[in-house]
Amino acid sequence: MAVYGYIRVSSKDQNEDRQLIALHEQDVPDKHIFLDKQSGKDFNRPQYKKLVRKLKKDDLLYIKSVDRLGRNYEEIQQQWRVLTKEKGADIVVLDMPLLDTRRGKDLMGTFLSDIVLQVLSFVAENERTNIKQRQAEGIAAAKARGVRFGRPPKPLPENFPSVYQRWKAGEITGRAAAAKCGMPLSTFRYRAAVYERTGAQ
């Protein structure tokens, strides 16, 4: 029997130390710990796939919590079946002692584990939905305050004001004006509209 651990954090700047410490407390060797820095929306993760390929019957997999496995309700259920039924491995969820497939392999034990897994999977996906909603609300609120997202626009070329005036007066076409400013026509029109509105940018 080999002992493995799986860690997932949602982004590269998130810290995995808490999960790593929990796995070390279970004496999981470093070479058997697989780490993905990726969203839990699906299971298309390189280290997770590598882990599944290595798992064999009666191996043991530790994870800190169900949401570290994933945040998609149906896919968590499916992957749990892959790991426990198809691979024949055992899983221990450290934050939820009821989710320890080494115990209660009788019908009642399996029934209780399935119920707990379904509830926790639902909570994990629901939290993902809430996170996305909070992010959307935060972005909307920031935009309402005038916060701008994305790369700042390049400064206008020095000749833009004079070219703009000539274009506005009908002396030159938009295409010619864009060429003189070294930008695509669509960009020139956009920047001209902003310039007209604000007199800047």
Side-chain angles (χ1 to χ4, degrees):
M1 183 193 82
V3 179
Y4 293 91
Y6 180 70
I7 295 173
R8 184 188 66 79
V9 290
S10 297
S11 61
K12 291 181 179 178
D13 57 355
Q14 283 190 330
N15 196 309
E16 66 273 11
D17 288 353
R18 188 173 64 89
Q19 296 177 67
L20 197 56
I21 290 168
L23 296 182
H24 283 160
E25 288 174 350
Q26 304 302 320
D27 296 322
V28 181
D30 283 330
K31 66 179 181 178
H32 283 178
I33 294 176
F34 294 80
L35 165 65
D36 279 310
K37 295 195 173 188
Q38 204 168 328
S39 163
K41 66 179 180 178
D42 58 43
F43 284 84
N44 189 23
R45 305 177 221 135
Q47 290 301 305
Y48 179 78
K49 288 181 173 180
K50 189 175 179 182
L51 166 67
V52 173
R53 286 196 298 270
K54 283 187 172 290
L55 278 174
K56 294 182 176 58
K57 183 174 170 49
D58 297 325
D59 283 349
L60 177 60
L61 171 64
Y62 285 102
I63 56 173
K64 184 78 169 73
S65 58
V66 165
D67 65 351
R68 297 305 87 201
L69 187 61
R71 285 192 180 276
N72 180 300
Y73 178 82
E74 290 185 2
E75 289 196 13
I76 291 172
Q77 310 281 324
Q78 179 188 346
Q79 289 301 313
W80 190 274
R81 285 191 290 272
V82 167
L83 298 173
T84 58
K85 307 297 183 192
E86 295 178 20
K87 288 286 183 175
D90 279 309
I91 307 176
V92 175
V93 179
L94 296 172
D95 282 357
M96 181 52 63
L98 280 173
L99 286 178
D100 181 344
T101 61
R102 298 172 300 179
R103 301 177 190 165
K105 288 186 181 284
D106 59 1
L107 185 61
M108 179 59 74
T110 302
F111 173 70
L112 288 174
S113 291
D114 284 350
I115 289 175
V116 173
L117 178 62
Q118 287 184 36
V119 170
L120 292 180
S121 301
F122 170 78
V123 170
E125 177 160 346
N126 193 53
E127 177 58 15
R128 175 172 168 257
T129 302
N130 289 339
I131 288 170
K132 289 175 71 176
Q133 183 176 341
R134 288 195 295 268
Q135 286 174 338
E137 289 171 353
I139 290 170
K143 284 182 175 178
R145 293 195 309 271
V147 176
R148 299 181 64 174
F149 293 87
R151 292 178 300 177
K154 291 180 181 178
L156 289 173
E158 289 183 11
N159 67 338
F160 186 87
S162 60
V163 172
Y164 166 80
Q165 292 299 338
R166 292 182 62 196
W167 169 73
K168 192 72 175 169
E171 295 175 14
I172 56 175
T173 65
R175 194 172 300 280
K180 287 179 182 294
C181 292
M183 58 180 64
L185 177 58
S186 58
T187 302
F188 174 80
R189 285 178 173 160
Y190 169 74
R191 300 299 291 272
V194 174
Y195 185 82
E196 184 171 340
R197 208 167 51 241
T198 65
Q201 300 184 5

